Amino acid sequence: MNKKMKIEAMWIIGVLVVLAAAAGLNVYTTGLPAFSIATKETSGTHINPSNHVIEVQGEQWAWVFTKENSTGIHTCTDSLTIHVNTTYTLVVSSTKGSHKLAVIHDLYIAQFDIQVYAVPGQNNTVTFTPIHTGTFIFECVEYCGYDHYIMRGYLTVVK
Amino acid sequence: MSVTTTLIEISVIMSIMFAILFFMYYKYLTGKTEADVLADENNYYDYGSYLRENKRKGGFLSTNNFILNDSKSIGMRYIMTALTFFFIAGSFGLLMRVSLIQPNPTLFSGREVLYDVLTTEHATLMIYMWALGGAMGIAYYLLPSFLKVKADKYGSISSTAYWIYLLGGVFILLSRTSTRWYFYPPLALQLNPYGAGAYNWLAVIGLEMIFIGITIAAIVVVRMIILDRGENVPLTKMPLFAWSVLFTLLMFLASAPFLMSALVMLFYDFFNPIFFTGVAGASSPLSFTELFWIWGHPIVYIAILPEFGLIYEIIPKFTGKKIFSYTSGVIGLALLMPLSELVWGHHLLNSGFGLQWGLFFSTASFLVVIPSAITIFNYIASLWSADKIRLSTPMLFVVNGIFDFIIGGITGVMQAMLVVNIQVHGTYWVTGHFHFIFMGITTGIIFASVYMLWPTITRGRKYDQHLATWHFTLTAIGSFVMSMGWTVGGFLGMPRFVSGYFARFQVYQDIAIAGGVIIGIGQLFFLANLIKSLLDEPSTTTNNAFEDEYTGDENEVGSNEPEPLKNPTAVGGE
């Protein structure tokens, strides 16, 4: 093995070590309790909106959140108020609103590390637990037509 | 006026038109036969190459490039088309960037659809017409002399492919589509200005035509590389650029059919929405996104692989030494081909496919780093072991490209991690990531090659070094500032493809606008250089530094240390 090949082998081994570490970290972080990735709801297991289950419907061009508690069903558009230290499940889908067809949207809550596609005819679920109070932003990050940019709002976490 | 009169008038006009067309065809055929006889007498395999080499015809801005059918003329056609579309799509990019100066739409206030159209056109044209077309052009131009091809018999097929491709690009431009380059279906099916644009169907036809054109051209070029090489160019000593083109085109041929079939289904959906609508009974819109990304991920490698090969060709010209390791160069390029076909699912990590899907594709994405690292190591080692590096403009573009690719590559590995991907998917981080690579490698290296080919393109003029240095400096600084603003803003949650945004992101948008404007000004220096060269008198031969090594002598390619350049001034040397 000449010097040239030695340098090259060292380089490749170094890269492989870094990659193995990155892949290990990748698997490790997916096991953390705060981690939640969008998962398709299998048919027959649909959960209706309740205190901890929020139904989210994306339409052109607004997000509609539906919650249900002791005082009845609450619907709000482009804004959401939730309680701190409570685990919530978002059930996200897409509706056609006043248009002919429903399109794909993508709900993104940057500070909670939550992102989930709103796909027509499919419910995607994701869970999260807010641990700080305050006002946070959410946005649609999958292009969905003319007024895509106004499909955004504020999420308020209260005590 | 009765119907009969109208019909008679129409038939008379049509007869005259046919007579004119027949006369033109007759003149063309006579001229072609004469030229063929002449070329045959002089031992040329087609009249295009004969005319090009003996009559000194067919340079930049020459219509002969569009009439002659030899590979070099077709290469020039692609390069000219790519440059034209680069400036069209680039000005679209600049316009939409400037419109983002305020959080609420200002320039396009009330006409936000204009932003969507400009962004879609910018992305689609840059990828298919600039990255793909530019690489195709340089391949067509350089490969015949790199490989000393025996016979260049498929000129008319290549020419047909080029015209189909060009018409496809023009259709996309005319369609004013606003569906984003993804063409995600339920939106792509909304044929109104609030959805995908009224003429989105034309964009679908245009894209399909681009695919048909490039597929034909890819088959011709792959055939040229594998079967038509000269006897003294064995496969194992083929220039690395030829390897990179071969891998690129095989990758193209392997992945393009997925989107080609998806586009046909999408087109059928315009009339009878049964495939991708997402309503009960039809398949999920996600099935289109899968078909799209099986093609859509390889395309980003198709846009950089030929440029990787070009870097391998450019570096020895400026260091005077051979590349560090030919074998690992080929291995690096070869590994990129199968690995890049395995990772497309990382574009859909948050679509509801769940954790297992995510883990598979994010781990596969890590593996792509290995061939990229081998390639980058090879570049750095080649530069490291050189005694002296001449930093002329093409070399500056190469160094900047390596630098940008390292940043773009690291951001790429980071976003392959699931937990980071949730944070940055769909934000400007991704835009920053691929603009680092597309500005550094794709755009930078195509420009470097244009500078290398300058005396040939302009028929014997040298480029102005001051203007070229300004072009490089502004492009490099501008693209770094722009991509950095995006990367940082995107990590904090700035969504991409929006015509308005939360006021908290304004500083990152404004930084990116500054970068974009700097890039735009930089390209004006390139245009100025081009115009200056065309006004000048010819001052050098029409040889270019790329082909110097491969013309003339009968030595085996790659058997010697590269010789000093025959005309170093041609590439801006001392």
Side-chain angles (χ1 to χ4, degrees):
Chain A
M1 191 185 252
N2 58 18
K3 194 184 164 198
K4 230 172 159 178
M5 282 179 75
K6 231 183 240 173
I7 301 172
E8 211 160 350
M10 272 163 60
W11 170 268
I12 292 170
I13 290 168
V15 169
L16 282 176
V17 169
V18 173
L19 286 183
L25 191 66
N26 187 28
V27 176
Y28 169 73
T29 47
T30 55
L32 295 176
F35 178 85
S36 176
I37 194 166
T39 311
K40 186 184 173 181
E41 203 178 55
T42 45
S43 56
T45 59
H46 182 66
I47 24 179
N48 287 318
S50 69
N51 230 348
H52 302 304
V53 178
I54 303 168
E55 196 181 275
V56 188
Q57 296 286 355
E59 59 172 63
Q60 284 169 312
W61 293 271
W63 288 110
V64 181
F65 298 89
T66 310
K67 271 196 304 183
E68 187 173 13
N69 58 18
S70 50
T71 56
I73 297 173
H74 297 273
T75 302
C76 44
T77 304
D78 281 345
S79 73
L80 180 65
T81 307
I82 51 176
H83 293 277
V84 74
N85 290 328
T86 316
T87 301
Y88 288 95
T89 302
L90 296 179
V91 182
V92 184
S93 190
S94 175
T95 51
K96 56 185 182 178
S98 57
H99 295 263
K100 246 205 239 160
L101 285 171
V103 304
I104 299 177
H105 306 276
D106 188 356
L107 177 68
Y108 172 50
I109 312 173
Q111 285 107 325
F112 292 171
D113 201 18
I114 287 295
Q115 181 163 159
V116 50
Y117 270 69
V119 182
Q122 174 177 334
N123 287 323
N124 287 337
T125 61
V126 78
T127 58
F128 68 100
T129 313
I131 51 171
H132 295 292
T133 55
T135 305
F136 305 92
I137 53 171
F138 63 83
E139 299 146 342
C140 174
V141 291
E142 181 54 61
Y143 176 66
C144 54
Y146 187 74
D147 267 341
H148 164 55
Y149 80 100
I150 61 163
M151 241 180 117
R152 63 185 186 194
Y154 291 97
L155 183 150
T156 318
V157 182
V158 294
K159 273 252 166 17
Chain B
M1 198 166 64
S2 69
V3 181
T4 329
T5 331
T6 322
L7 280 176
I8 290 172
E9 277 181 5
I10 289 175
S11 45
V12 167
I13 291 170
M14 280 179 69
S15 313
I16 294 171
M17 275 169 59
F18 273 115
I20 294 171
L21 279 174
F22 181 78
F23 181 70
M24 282 165 67
Y25 181 67
Y26 168 77
K27 289 299 279 182
Y28 165 77
L29 212 61
T30 336
K32 184 176 178 296
T33 318
E34 280 172 17
D36 267 339
V37 170
L38 209 60
D40 201 40
E41 281 168 3
N42 290 287
N43 288 329
Y44 278 87
Y45 42 74
D46 71 312
Y47 68 96
S49 346
Y50 172 75
L51 286 179
R52 166 175 292 280
E53 285 179 23
N54 292 287
K55 304 282 183 199
R56 290 267 169 248
K57 280 183 177 177
F60 194 54
L61 297 183
S62 157
T63 47
N64 279 329
N65 284 328
F66 291 87
I67 296 167
L68 300 180
N69 282 350
D70 62 311
S71 286
K72 298 227 172 241
S73 300
I74 288 167
M76 272 308 163
R77 272 186 222 180
Y78 274 106
I79 293 175
M80 286 164 69
T81 316
L83 279 171
T84 313
F85 275 94
F86 173 77
F87 280 96
I88 295 174
S91 51
F92 287 175
L94 195 60
L95 211 61
M96 76 191 185
R97 195 106 303 281
V98 171
S99 81
L100 289 170
I101 198 151
Q102 294 284 330
N104 287 317
T106 46
L107 197 59
F108 304 145
S109 176
R111 284 178 300 161
E112 286 86 350
V113 69
L114 211 52
Y115 176 89
D116 304 331
V117 172
L118 289 178
T119 319
T120 308
E121 296 285 353
H122 170 78
T124 318
L125 295 178
M126 278 294 186
I127 287 177
Y128 292 108
M129 303 308 283
W130 168 240
L132 203 52
M136 213 64 207
I138 295 168
Y140 258 119
Y141 188 82
L142 289 181
L143 286 181
S145 41
F146 273 24
L147 303 170
K148 300 190 195 298
V149 291
K150 292 173 291 191
D152 187 11
K153 299 191 284 268
Y154 298 94
S156 47
I157 298 177
S158 303
S159 181
T160 313
Y162 166 80
W163 290 113
I164 297 175
Y165 163 83
L166 178 64
L167 204 57
V170 172
F171 277 179
I172 288 183
L173 195 59
L174 292 178
S175 69
R176 304 196 299 279
T177 168
S178 61
T179 177
R180 211 174 171 179
W181 81 284
Y182 302 168
F183 288 87
Y184 277 2
L187 182 69
L189 297 174
Q190 293 182 336
L191 292 181
N192 60 56
Y194 297 97
Y199 302 100
N200 190 35
W201 54 271
L202 191 62
V204 174
I205 295 177
L207 194 54
E208 193 78 23
M209 286 171 74
I210 286 181
F211 276 109
I212 292 168
I214 296 286
T215 305
I216 299 170
I219 293 168
V220 171
V221 175
V222 167
R223 196 210 130 92
M224 190 202 291
I225 295 172
I226 293 182
L227 295 176
D228 293 343
R229 271 174 295 119
E231 278 91 12
N232 50 3
V233 189
L235 201 62
T236 47
K237 286 187 176 169
M238 212 160 69
L240 278 160
F241 177 60
W243 277 114
S244 73
V245 171
L246 179 64
F247 293 139
T248 310
L249 295 180
L250 290 180
M251 197 152 86
F252 177 92
L253 292 172
S255 50
F258 293 97
L259 185 55
M260 285 172 84
S261 56
L263 284 176
V264 173
M265 290 156 88
L266 187 64
F267 195 72
Y268 188 77
D269 265 356
F270 287 134
F271 307 101
N272 185 13
I274 54 170
F275 286 114
F276 301 124
T277 50
V279 297
S283 36
S284 164
L286 286 182
S287 51
F288 181 90
T289 67
E290 288 169 57
L291 287 170
F292 179 84
W293 285 113
I294 295 176
W295 152 256
H297 194 77
I299 174 70
V300 299
Y301 288 87
I302 288 167
I304 56 164
L305 258 183
E307 282 74 18
F308 277 173
L310 282 171
I311 295 180
Y312 280 127
E313 298 301 324
I314 294 173
I315 286 181
K317 312 278 188 247
F318 293 89
T319 59
K321 286 183 93 172
K322 276 207 287 189
I323 210 79
F324 179 77
S325 168
Y326 177 88
T327 320
S328 72
V330 178
I331 292 173
L333 296 172
L335 276 178
L336 270 175
M337 178 175 57
L339 286 179
S340 68
E341 301 270 1
L342 288 178
V343 301
W344 53 272
H346 68 205
H347 294 269
L348 301 167
L349 291 179
N350 304 312
S351 331
F353 289 113
L355 185 60
Q356 291 77 9
W357 167 290
L359 279 176
F360 175 81
F361 281 111
S362 71
T363 312
S365 310
F366 290 134
L367 293 179
V368 183
V369 179
I370 297 168
S372 312
I374 293 175
T375 310
I376 288 297
F377 170 75
N378 219 339
Y379 298 150
I380 295 175
S382 302
L383 295 176
W384 194 274
S385 57
D387 306 316
K388 189 174 164 223
I389 304 169
R390 277 192 313 119
L391 283 177
S392 309
T393 311
M395 196 60 202
L396 287 170
F397 270 115
V398 168
V399 174
N400 178 60
I402 295 171
F403 178 71
D404 276 359
F405 183 75
I406 292 172
I407 303 177
I410 289 173
T411 49
V413 187
M414 284 168 76
Q415 75 200 18
M417 297 186 66
L418 287 180
V419 66
V420 181
N421 186 275
I422 296 171
Q423 177 69 23
V424 300
H425 179 93
T427 69
Y428 264 107
W429 166 284
V430 185
T431 318
H433 152 73
F434 69 73
H435 273 82
F436 268 122
I437 297 174
F438 278 15
M439 287 305 294
I441 297 287
T442 313
T443 305
I445 303 304
I446 294 180
F447 272 127
S449 311
V450 169
Y451 281 118
M452 297 281 282
L453 292 171
W454 199 275
T456 311
I457 291 177
T458 59
R459 280 175 283 174
R461 280 81 164 179
K462 293 179 211 162
Y463 61 81
D464 185 298
Q465 289 182 39
H466 289 290
L467 292 177
T469 313
W470 273 107
H471 175 220
F472 163 75
T473 314
L474 293 179
T475 308
I477 292 176
S479 60
F480 184 84
V481 169
M482 181 176 78
S483 312
M484 218 40 161
W486 283 340
T487 309
V488 176
F491 194 75
L492 300 171
M494 180 164 72
R496 67 193 261 222
F497 214 106
V498 283
S499 45
Y501 48 91
F502 282 114
R504 66 176 71 183
F505 297 127
Q506 195 180 356
V507 59
Y508 307 107
Q509 288 282 10
D510 287 352
I511 290 172
I513 291 168
V517 171
I518 293 173
I519 297 176
I521 295 169
Q523 305 320 308
L524 296 181
F525 282 92
F526 178 80
L527 282 184
N529 212 339
L530 209 57
I531 292 165
K532 186 170 180 295
S533 284
L534 291 172
L535 295 177
D536 277 353
E537 287 298 307
S539 54
T540 178
T541 63
T542 54
N543 293 343
N544 62 66
F546 261 138
E547 292 168 290
D548 271 355
E549 194 190 333
Y550 301 98
T551 47
D553 53 30
E554 290 298 312
N555 289 332
E556 279 190 5
V557 171
S559 60
N560 298 328
E561 289 286 314
E563 288 171 32
L565 296 177
K566 282 176 190 163
N567 52 346
T569 44
V571 291
E574 297 88 343

